[in-house]
Amino acid sequence: MNTASGLPPGQVPAGHRPFGLPRFGPVVPRPRGTASVTVTGAVRHPGQVSAAELAALPGRTDRVADLHCVTTWSALGLSWSGVPFRDVHAYLTDLVAVRQAVRWVTFTGLDGFSATLRLDDALAPDVLLADALDGASLGPDQGAPLRLVAPAHYGYKSVKHVCQIEYRTAYAAGPAGWKAHPRGRVAHEERSRYLPGRVWRPLWRALLPRSRAAYESARARTNGRGRP
Ligand SMILES: Nc1nc2c(c(=O)[nH]1)N[C@H]1C(S)=C(S)[C@@H](COP(=O)(O)O)O[C@H]1N2
Ligand SMILES: [Mo]
């Protein structure tokens, strides 16, 4: 941690949310009807569960956490509510019979974005499958109906609009490609698969206004109604 600011290395506080990869800016998924999550991959019985069923599992909790985007901005003190992923996983382990060899888990959002976390990282007690922020149900901009909250990892691991959980035996890079790190731990500055994080810091910092503008103009152009 950067002791002066209380922020992890290379991060600056920012108020401008939501803000993710420009490629996914044009789409704001608005789930209709009963939202469900497909559970698939290295499991014996792939299936679907409703988002409501997952959100009602025992273990429900509130957590205050910071969100650290790899492009160096951080949103501080977000109050999430949801079910720890470890409790969701315990439930799914029986339901779909997750195979012993599973080491990674991929979360996919309704906009097509996805990220893979190491299973033991996803099972840390601070990782939530959240359905509320600041005491209100998640809205379309915040990742409705369910979003992952993995506070020890860069924001690209905190997948919004979760509609699929895929158990895997090997890492899958996903849409962020080499720009994402397989683990993405903020404390270790694992910003990217290649080169140490402190090398990326000034590059992302310099690109920040441009990537933010690209995201916002993509969103304004489609009013969030674009196709994934
Ligand atoms: N489905 C989906 N989840 C996503 C993204 C996205 O584009 N689509 N962007 C990721 C990135 S890079 C960041 S930093 C955070 C941003 O979260 P916010 O939009 O709540 O600020 O969401 C992450 N989860
Ligand atoms: Mo990000």
Side-chain angles (χ1 to χ4, degrees), residues 40-44 85 89 93 96-106 117-120 123 165-170:
T40 183
V43 303
R44 276 188 195 87
F85 180 69
H89 173 71
T93 301
V96 301
V98 176
R99 291 186 189 276
Q100 285 277 315
V102 164
R103 296 290 175 273
W104 300 86
V105 55
T106 302
L117 283 89
R118 223 169 79 165
L119 183 62
D120 56 345
L123 296 180
I165 297 173
E166 182 178 1
Y167 287 101
R168 316 183 69 100
T169 55

PDB file of all heavy atoms in Angstrom, residues 40-44 85 89 93 96-106 117-120 123 165-170:
ATOM      1  N   THR A  40     -21.262 -23.749 -16.218  1.00  0.00           N
ATOM      2  CA  THR A  40     -20.783 -24.675 -17.233  1.00  0.00           C
ATOM      3  C   THR A  40     -19.279 -24.916 -17.093  1.00  0.00           C
ATOM      4  O   THR A  40     -18.680 -24.522 -16.106  1.00  0.00           O
ATOM      5  CB  THR A  40     -21.165 -24.088 -18.631  1.00  0.00           C
ATOM      6  OG1 THR A  40     -20.772 -24.994 -19.629  1.00  0.00           O
ATOM      7  CG2 THR A  40     -20.487 -22.758 -18.897  1.00  0.00           C
ATOM      8  N   GLY A  41     -18.680 -25.581 -18.079  1.00  0.00           N
ATOM      9  CA  GLY A  41     -17.244 -25.850 -18.055  1.00  0.00           C
ATOM     10  C   GLY A  41     -16.952 -27.230 -17.493  1.00  0.00           C
ATOM     11  O   GLY A  41     -17.673 -28.191 -17.793  1.00  0.00           O
ATOM     12  N   ALA A  42     -15.927 -27.311 -16.640  1.00  0.00           N
ATOM     13  CA  ALA A  42     -15.491 -28.594 -16.095  1.00  0.00           C
ATOM     14  C   ALA A  42     -16.381 -29.012 -14.929  1.00  0.00           C
ATOM     15  O   ALA A  42     -15.976 -29.026 -13.767  1.00  0.00           O
ATOM     16  CB  ALA A  42     -14.036 -28.509 -15.674  1.00  0.00           C
ATOM     17  N   VAL A  43     -17.638 -29.317 -15.292  1.00  0.00           N
ATOM     18  CA  VAL A  43     -18.634 -29.741 -14.301  1.00  0.00           C
ATOM     19  C   VAL A  43     -19.377 -30.953 -14.873  1.00  0.00           C
ATOM     20  O   VAL A  43     -19.437 -31.107 -16.093  1.00  0.00           O
ATOM     21  CB  VAL A  43     -19.654 -28.603 -13.986  1.00  0.00           C
ATOM     22  CG1 VAL A  43     -18.945 -27.355 -13.496  1.00  0.00           C
ATOM     23  CG2 VAL A  43     -20.510 -28.253 -15.213  1.00  0.00           C
ATOM     24  N   ARG A  44     -19.921 -31.778 -13.998  1.00  0.00           N
ATOM     25  CA  ARG A  44     -20.608 -32.978 -14.511  1.00  0.00           C
ATOM     26  C   ARG A  44     -21.991 -32.675 -15.043  1.00  0.00           C
ATOM     27  O   ARG A  44     -22.431 -33.288 -15.994  1.00  0.00           O
ATOM     28  CB  ARG A  44     -20.693 -34.041 -13.417  1.00  0.00           C
ATOM     29  CG  ARG A  44     -19.424 -34.832 -13.358  1.00  0.00           C
ATOM     30  CD  ARG A  44     -19.424 -36.041 -12.441  1.00  0.00           C
ATOM     31  NE  ARG A  44     -18.025 -36.413 -12.285  1.00  0.00           N
ATOM     32  CZ  ARG A  44     -17.228 -35.885 -11.361  1.00  0.00           C
ATOM     33  NH1 ARG A  44     -17.696 -35.027 -10.498  1.00  0.00           N
ATOM     34  NH2 ARG A  44     -15.955 -36.220 -11.317  1.00  0.00           N
ATOM     35  N   PHE A  85     -18.601 -15.181  -2.956  1.00  0.00           N
ATOM     36  CA  PHE A  85     -18.538 -16.193  -4.019  1.00  0.00           C
ATOM     37  C   PHE A  85     -18.249 -17.574  -3.438  1.00  0.00           C
ATOM     38  O   PHE A  85     -18.697 -18.575  -3.977  1.00  0.00           O
ATOM     39  CB  PHE A  85     -17.536 -15.811  -5.115  1.00  0.00           C
ATOM     40  CG  PHE A  85     -17.502 -16.856  -6.190  1.00  0.00           C
ATOM     41  CD1 PHE A  85     -18.583 -17.034  -7.035  1.00  0.00           C
ATOM     42  CD2 PHE A  85     -16.420 -17.729  -6.311  1.00  0.00           C
ATOM     43  CE1 PHE A  85     -18.599 -18.054  -7.999  1.00  0.00           C
ATOM     44  CE2 PHE A  85     -16.417 -18.736  -7.260  1.00  0.00           C
ATOM     45  CZ  PHE A  85     -17.511 -18.895  -8.112  1.00  0.00           C
ATOM     46  N   HIS A  89     -20.088 -20.806  -4.605  1.00  0.00           N
ATOM     47  CA  HIS A  89     -19.329 -21.963  -5.101  1.00  0.00           C
ATOM     48  C   HIS A  89     -19.691 -23.238  -4.334  1.00  0.00           C
ATOM     49  O   HIS A  89     -19.844 -24.305  -4.928  1.00  0.00           O
ATOM     50  CB  HIS A  89     -17.830 -21.666  -4.994  1.00  0.00           C
ATOM     51  CG  HIS A  89     -16.958 -22.835  -5.308  1.00  0.00           C
ATOM     52  ND1 HIS A  89     -16.813 -23.324  -6.583  1.00  0.00           N
ATOM     53  CD2 HIS A  89     -16.202 -23.634  -4.502  1.00  0.00           C
ATOM     54  CE1 HIS A  89     -15.990 -24.363  -6.557  1.00  0.00           C
ATOM     55  NE2 HIS A  89     -15.609 -24.575  -5.306  1.00  0.00           N
ATOM     56  N   THR A  93     -21.088 -26.384  -6.215  1.00  0.00           N
ATOM     57  CA  THR A  93     -20.284 -27.609  -6.185  1.00  0.00           C
ATOM     58  C   THR A  93     -21.192 -28.830  -6.156  1.00  0.00           C
ATOM     59  O   THR A  93     -20.961 -29.807  -6.873  1.00  0.00           O
ATOM     60  CB  THR A  93     -19.342 -27.587  -4.959  1.00  0.00           C
ATOM     61  OG1 THR A  93     -18.514 -26.447  -5.074  1.00  0.00           O
ATOM     62  CG2 THR A  93     -18.455 -28.819  -4.903  1.00  0.00           C
ATOM     63  N   VAL A  96     -23.946 -28.672  -9.653  1.00  0.00           N
ATOM     64  CA  VAL A  96     -23.447 -29.022 -11.001  1.00  0.00           C
ATOM     65  C   VAL A  96     -22.299 -30.027 -10.942  1.00  0.00           C
ATOM     66  O   VAL A  96     -21.804 -30.450 -11.979  1.00  0.00           O
ATOM     67  CB  VAL A  96     -22.999 -27.769 -11.792  1.00  0.00           C
ATOM     68  CG1 VAL A  96     -24.132 -26.787 -11.942  1.00  0.00           C
ATOM     69  CG2 VAL A  96     -21.773 -27.117 -11.159  1.00  0.00           C
ATOM     70  N   ALA A  97     -21.861 -30.382  -9.741  1.00  0.00           N
ATOM     71  CA  ALA A  97     -20.729 -31.309  -9.552  1.00  0.00           C
ATOM     72  C   ALA A  97     -19.473 -30.780 -10.252  1.00  0.00           C
ATOM     73  O   ALA A  97     -19.064 -31.265 -11.306  1.00  0.00           O
ATOM     74  CB  ALA A  97     -21.093 -32.716 -10.021  1.00  0.00           C
ATOM     75  N   VAL A  98     -18.869 -29.774  -9.627  1.00  0.00           N
ATOM     76  CA  VAL A  98     -17.633 -29.173 -10.145  1.00  0.00           C
ATOM     77  C   VAL A  98     -16.519 -30.212 -10.059  1.00  0.00           C
ATOM     78  O   VAL A  98     -16.362 -30.882  -9.038  1.00  0.00           O
ATOM     79  CB  VAL A  98     -17.271 -27.915  -9.312  1.00  0.00           C
ATOM     80  CG1 VAL A  98     -15.951 -27.324  -9.766  1.00  0.00           C
ATOM     81  CG2 VAL A  98     -18.390 -26.878  -9.390  1.00  0.00           C
ATOM     82  N   ARG A  99     -15.750 -30.349 -11.133  1.00  0.00           N
ATOM     83  CA  ARG A  99     -14.695 -31.373 -11.153  1.00  0.00           C
ATOM     84  C   ARG A  99     -13.508 -30.965 -10.283  1.00  0.00           C
ATOM     85  O   ARG A  99     -13.212 -29.780 -10.138  1.00  0.00           O
ATOM     86  CB  ARG A  99     -14.242 -31.631 -12.592  1.00  0.00           C
ATOM     87  CG  ARG A  99     -15.325 -32.314 -13.419  1.00  0.00           C
ATOM     88  CD  ARG A  99     -14.824 -32.708 -14.802  1.00  0.00           C
ATOM     89  NE  ARG A  99     -15.939 -33.168 -15.625  1.00  0.00           N
ATOM     90  CZ  ARG A  99     -16.418 -34.422 -15.603  1.00  0.00           C
ATOM     91  NH1 ARG A  99     -15.866 -35.327 -14.831  1.00  0.00           N
ATOM     92  NH2 ARG A  99     -17.442 -34.749 -16.370  1.00  0.00           N
ATOM     93  N   GLN A 100     -12.843 -31.980  -9.749  1.00  0.00           N
ATOM     94  CA  GLN A 100     -11.702 -31.779  -8.838  1.00  0.00           C
ATOM     95  C   GLN A 100     -10.576 -30.974  -9.480  1.00  0.00           C
ATOM     96  O   GLN A 100      -9.884 -30.227  -8.807  1.00  0.00           O
ATOM     97  CB  GLN A 100     -11.123 -33.154  -8.445  1.00  0.00           C
ATOM     98  CG  GLN A 100     -11.974 -33.910  -7.449  1.00  0.00           C
ATOM     99  CD  GLN A 100     -11.690 -33.445  -6.025  1.00  0.00           C
ATOM    100  OE1 GLN A 100     -10.537 -33.295  -5.640  1.00  0.00           O
ATOM    101  NE2 GLN A 100     -12.744 -33.196  -5.276  1.00  0.00           N
ATOM    102  N   ALA A 101     -10.398 -31.153 -10.804  1.00  0.00           N
ATOM    103  CA  ALA A 101      -9.244 -30.552 -11.488  1.00  0.00           C
ATOM    104  C   ALA A 101      -9.415 -29.057 -11.748  1.00  0.00           C
ATOM    105  O   ALA A 101      -8.513 -28.415 -12.291  1.00  0.00           O
ATOM    106  CB  ALA A 101      -9.014 -31.280 -12.809  1.00  0.00           C
ATOM    107  N   VAL A 102     -10.556 -28.485 -11.365  1.00  0.00           N
ATOM    108  CA  VAL A 102     -10.812 -27.067 -11.648  1.00  0.00           C
ATOM    109  C   VAL A 102      -9.856 -26.175 -10.864  1.00  0.00           C
ATOM    110  O   VAL A 102      -9.682 -26.348  -9.655  1.00  0.00           O
ATOM    111  CB  VAL A 102     -12.283 -26.725 -11.343  1.00  0.00           C
ATOM    112  CG1 VAL A 102     -12.499 -25.232 -11.244  1.00  0.00           C
ATOM    113  CG2 VAL A 102     -13.189 -27.327 -12.409  1.00  0.00           C
ATOM    114  N   ARG A 103      -9.215 -25.211 -11.574  1.00  0.00           N
ATOM    115  CA  ARG A 103      -8.293 -24.272 -10.923  1.00  0.00           C
ATOM    116  C   ARG A 103      -8.639 -22.811 -11.207  1.00  0.00           C
ATOM    117  O   ARG A 103      -8.086 -21.910 -10.594  1.00  0.00           O
ATOM    118  CB  ARG A 103      -6.847 -24.522 -11.411  1.00  0.00           C
ATOM    119  CG  ARG A 103      -6.271 -25.866 -11.040  1.00  0.00           C
ATOM    120  CD  ARG A 103      -5.990 -25.976  -9.530  1.00  0.00           C
ATOM    121  NE  ARG A 103      -5.539 -27.319  -9.197  1.00  0.00           N
ATOM    122  CZ  ARG A 103      -6.346 -28.342  -8.898  1.00  0.00           C
ATOM    123  NH1 ARG A 103      -7.668 -28.159  -8.877  1.00  0.00           N
ATOM    124  NH2 ARG A 103      -5.870 -29.530  -8.617  1.00  0.00           N
ATOM    125  N   TRP A 104      -9.494 -22.562 -12.198  1.00  0.00           N
ATOM    126  CA  TRP A 104      -9.821 -21.206 -12.626  1.00  0.00           C
ATOM    127  C   TRP A 104     -11.318 -21.093 -12.816  1.00  0.00           C
ATOM    128  O   TRP A 104     -11.999 -22.107 -13.013  1.00  0.00           O
ATOM    129  CB  TRP A 104      -9.128 -20.881 -13.973  1.00  0.00           C
ATOM    130  CG  TRP A 104      -7.638 -20.972 -13.928  1.00  0.00           C
ATOM    131  CD1 TRP A 104      -6.882 -22.102 -14.112  1.00  0.00           C
ATOM    132  CD2 TRP A 104      -6.709 -19.911 -13.653  1.00  0.00           C
ATOM    133  NE1 TRP A 104      -5.547 -21.799 -13.977  1.00  0.00           N
ATOM    134  CE2 TRP A 104      -5.412 -20.466 -13.701  1.00  0.00           C
ATOM    135  CE3 TRP A 104      -6.866 -18.545 -13.387  1.00  0.00           C
ATOM    136  CZ2 TRP A 104      -4.273 -19.698 -13.482  1.00  0.00           C
ATOM    137  CZ3 TRP A 104      -5.717 -17.780 -13.177  1.00  0.00           C
ATOM    138  CH2 TRP A 104      -4.449 -18.355 -13.218  1.00  0.00           C
ATOM    139  N   VAL A 105     -11.826 -19.863 -12.773  1.00  0.00           N
ATOM    140  CA  VAL A 105     -13.257 -19.674 -13.016  1.00  0.00           C
ATOM    141  C   VAL A 105     -13.447 -18.401 -13.844  1.00  0.00           C
ATOM    142  O   VAL A 105     -12.855 -17.359 -13.547  1.00  0.00           O
ATOM    143  CB  VAL A 105     -14.059 -19.685 -11.680  1.00  0.00           C
ATOM    144  CG1 VAL A 105     -13.561 -18.674 -10.673  1.00  0.00           C
ATOM    145  CG2 VAL A 105     -15.554 -19.493 -11.929  1.00  0.00           C
ATOM    146  N   THR A 106     -14.220 -18.547 -14.923  1.00  0.00           N
ATOM    147  CA  THR A 106     -14.470 -17.424 -15.830  1.00  0.00           C
ATOM    148  C   THR A 106     -15.879 -16.892 -15.601  1.00  0.00           C
ATOM    149  O   THR A 106     -16.847 -17.661 -15.610  1.00  0.00           O
ATOM    150  CB  THR A 106     -14.344 -17.873 -17.303  1.00  0.00           C
ATOM    151  OG1 THR A 106     -13.040 -18.411 -17.498  1.00  0.00           O
ATOM    152  CG2 THR A 106     -14.561 -16.701 -18.266  1.00  0.00           C
ATOM    153  N   LEU A 117     -10.590 -15.698 -13.089  1.00  0.00           N
ATOM    154  CA  LEU A 117      -9.853 -15.585 -11.822  1.00  0.00           C
ATOM    155  C   LEU A 117      -9.345 -16.960 -11.420  1.00  0.00           C
ATOM    156  O   LEU A 117     -10.005 -17.973 -11.713  1.00  0.00           O
ATOM    157  CB  LEU A 117     -10.761 -15.083 -10.697  1.00  0.00           C
ATOM    158  CG  LEU A 117     -11.087 -13.596 -10.683  1.00  0.00           C
ATOM    159  CD1 LEU A 117     -12.328 -13.324 -11.508  1.00  0.00           C
ATOM    160  CD2 LEU A 117     -11.299 -13.118  -9.252  1.00  0.00           C
ATOM    161  N   ARG A 118      -8.198 -16.967 -10.723  1.00  0.00           N
ATOM    162  CA  ARG A 118      -7.750 -18.221 -10.150  1.00  0.00           C
ATOM    163  C   ARG A 118      -8.782 -18.622  -9.112  1.00  0.00           C
ATOM    164  O   ARG A 118      -9.258 -17.771  -8.351  1.00  0.00           O
ATOM    165  CB  ARG A 118      -6.369 -18.036  -9.514  1.00  0.00           C
ATOM    166  CG  ARG A 118      -5.450 -19.193  -9.831  1.00  0.00           C
ATOM    167  CD  ARG A 118      -4.047 -18.893  -9.443  1.00  0.00           C
ATOM    168  NE  ARG A 118      -3.878 -19.076  -8.003  1.00  0.00           N
ATOM    169  CZ  ARG A 118      -2.687 -19.158  -7.423  1.00  0.00           C
ATOM    170  NH1 ARG A 118      -1.590 -19.041  -8.151  1.00  0.00           N
ATOM    171  NH2 ARG A 118      -2.590 -19.333  -6.132  1.00  0.00           N
ATOM    172  N   LEU A 119      -9.148 -19.908  -9.074  1.00  0.00           N
ATOM    173  CA  LEU A 119     -10.244 -20.326  -8.192  1.00  0.00           C
ATOM    174  C   LEU A 119      -9.966 -19.945  -6.740  1.00  0.00           C
ATOM    175  O   LEU A 119     -10.843 -19.417  -6.058  1.00  0.00           O
ATOM    176  CB  LEU A 119     -10.490 -21.834  -8.322  1.00  0.00           C
ATOM    177  CG  LEU A 119     -11.677 -22.355  -7.493  1.00  0.00           C
ATOM    178  CD1 LEU A 119     -12.997 -21.725  -7.943  1.00  0.00           C
ATOM    179  CD2 LEU A 119     -11.764 -23.869  -7.560  1.00  0.00           C
ATOM    180  N   ASP A 120      -8.720 -20.138  -6.278  1.00  0.00           N
ATOM    181  CA  ASP A 120      -8.465 -19.800  -4.863  1.00  0.00           C
ATOM    182  C   ASP A 120      -8.573 -18.300  -4.619  1.00  0.00           C
ATOM    183  O   ASP A 120      -8.972 -17.874  -3.538  1.00  0.00           O
ATOM    184  CB  ASP A 120      -7.131 -20.380  -4.362  1.00  0.00           C
ATOM    185  CG  ASP A 120      -5.938 -19.965  -5.184  1.00  0.00           C
ATOM    186  OD1 ASP A 120      -6.120 -19.453  -6.314  1.00  0.00           O
ATOM    187  OD2 ASP A 120      -4.798 -20.134  -4.709  1.00  0.00           O
ATOM    188  N   LEU A 123     -12.221 -17.532  -4.255  1.00  0.00           N
ATOM    189  CA  LEU A 123     -12.794 -18.069  -3.014  1.00  0.00           C
ATOM    190  C   LEU A 123     -12.356 -17.288  -1.777  1.00  0.00           C
ATOM    191  O   LEU A 123     -12.746 -17.626  -0.655  1.00  0.00           O
ATOM    192  CB  LEU A 123     -12.424 -19.551  -2.859  1.00  0.00           C
ATOM    193  CG  LEU A 123     -12.989 -20.487  -3.938  1.00  0.00           C
ATOM    194  CD1 LEU A 123     -12.559 -21.924  -3.686  1.00  0.00           C
ATOM    195  CD2 LEU A 123     -14.504 -20.395  -4.026  1.00  0.00           C
ATOM    196  N   ILE A 165     -21.039 -18.563 -15.383  1.00  0.00           N
ATOM    197  CA  ILE A 165     -19.888 -18.954 -14.557  1.00  0.00           C
ATOM    198  C   ILE A 165     -19.356 -20.238 -15.184  1.00  0.00           C
ATOM    199  O   ILE A 165     -20.094 -21.220 -15.309  1.00  0.00           O
ATOM    200  CB  ILE A 165     -20.313 -19.190 -13.090  1.00  0.00           C
ATOM    201  CG1 ILE A 165     -20.848 -17.887 -12.463  1.00  0.00           C
ATOM    202  CG2 ILE A 165     -19.141 -19.741 -12.278  1.00  0.00           C
ATOM    203  CD1 ILE A 165     -21.447 -18.067 -11.064  1.00  0.00           C
ATOM    204  N   GLU A 166     -18.100 -20.183 -15.616  1.00  0.00           N
ATOM    205  CA  GLU A 166     -17.513 -21.353 -16.282  1.00  0.00           C
ATOM    206  C   GLU A 166     -16.294 -21.820 -15.499  1.00  0.00           C
ATOM    207  O   GLU A 166     -15.319 -21.077 -15.341  1.00  0.00           O
ATOM    208  CB  GLU A 166     -17.100 -20.970 -17.719  1.00  0.00           C
ATOM    209  CG  GLU A 166     -16.544 -22.141 -18.482  1.00  0.00           C
ATOM    210  CD  GLU A 166     -16.179 -21.791 -19.920  1.00  0.00           C
ATOM    211  OE1 GLU A 166     -16.335 -20.613 -20.319  1.00  0.00           O
ATOM    212  OE2 GLU A 166     -15.717 -22.690 -20.638  1.00  0.00           O
ATOM    213  N   TYR A 167     -16.364 -23.047 -15.012  1.00  0.00           N
ATOM    214  CA  TYR A 167     -15.223 -23.627 -14.281  1.00  0.00           C
ATOM    215  C   TYR A 167     -14.226 -24.174 -15.286  1.00  0.00           C
ATOM    216  O   TYR A 167     -14.607 -24.776 -16.286  1.00  0.00           O
ATOM    217  CB  TYR A 167     -15.717 -24.721 -13.340  1.00  0.00           C
ATOM    218  CG  TYR A 167     -16.449 -24.168 -12.138  1.00  0.00           C
ATOM    219  CD1 TYR A 167     -17.832 -24.158 -12.067  1.00  0.00           C
ATOM    220  CD2 TYR A 167     -15.731 -23.624 -11.073  1.00  0.00           C
ATOM    221  CE1 TYR A 167     -18.498 -23.637 -10.960  1.00  0.00           C
ATOM    222  CE2 TYR A 167     -16.383 -23.094  -9.960  1.00  0.00           C
ATOM    223  CZ  TYR A 167     -17.759 -23.110  -9.915  1.00  0.00           C
ATOM    224  OH  TYR A 167     -18.405 -22.586  -8.817  1.00  0.00           O
ATOM    225  N   ARG A 168     -12.940 -23.920 -15.014  1.00  0.00           N
ATOM    226  CA  ARG A 168     -11.906 -24.299 -15.991  1.00  0.00           C
ATOM    227  C   ARG A 168     -10.714 -24.950 -15.308  1.00  0.00           C
ATOM    228  O   ARG A 168     -10.435 -24.672 -14.140  1.00  0.00           O
ATOM    229  CB  ARG A 168     -11.371 -23.057 -16.720  1.00  0.00           C
ATOM    230  CG  ARG A 168     -12.407 -22.060 -17.170  1.00  0.00           C
ATOM    231  CD  ARG A 168     -11.722 -20.939 -17.922  1.00  0.00           C
ATOM    232  NE  ARG A 168     -11.235 -21.433 -19.163  1.00  0.00           N
ATOM    233  CZ  ARG A 168     -11.864 -21.263 -20.333  1.00  0.00           C
ATOM    234  NH1 ARG A 168     -12.966 -20.567 -20.407  1.00  0.00           N
ATOM    235  NH2 ARG A 168     -11.354 -21.772 -21.420  1.00  0.00           N
ATOM    236  N   THR A 169      -9.996 -25.747 -16.097  1.00  0.00           N
ATOM    237  CA  THR A 169      -8.764 -26.343 -15.579  1.00  0.00           C
ATOM    238  C   THR A 169      -7.562 -25.483 -15.962  1.00  0.00           C
ATOM    239  O   THR A 169      -6.483 -25.651 -15.413  1.00  0.00           O
ATOM    240  CB  THR A 169      -8.579 -27.767 -16.134  1.00  0.00           C
ATOM    241  OG1 THR A 169      -8.639 -27.689 -17.553  1.00  0.00           O
ATOM    242  CG2 THR A 169      -9.668 -28.690 -15.625  1.00  0.00           C
ATOM    243  N   ALA A 170      -7.740 -24.561 -16.920  1.00  0.00           N
ATOM    244  CA  ALA A 170      -6.623 -23.720 -17.365  1.00  0.00           C
ATOM    245  C   ALA A 170      -7.100 -22.278 -17.526  1.00  0.00           C
ATOM    246  O   ALA A 170      -8.294 -22.027 -17.733  1.00  0.00           O
ATOM    247  CB  ALA A 170      -6.081 -24.232 -18.693  1.00  0.00           C
TER     248      ALA A 170
END
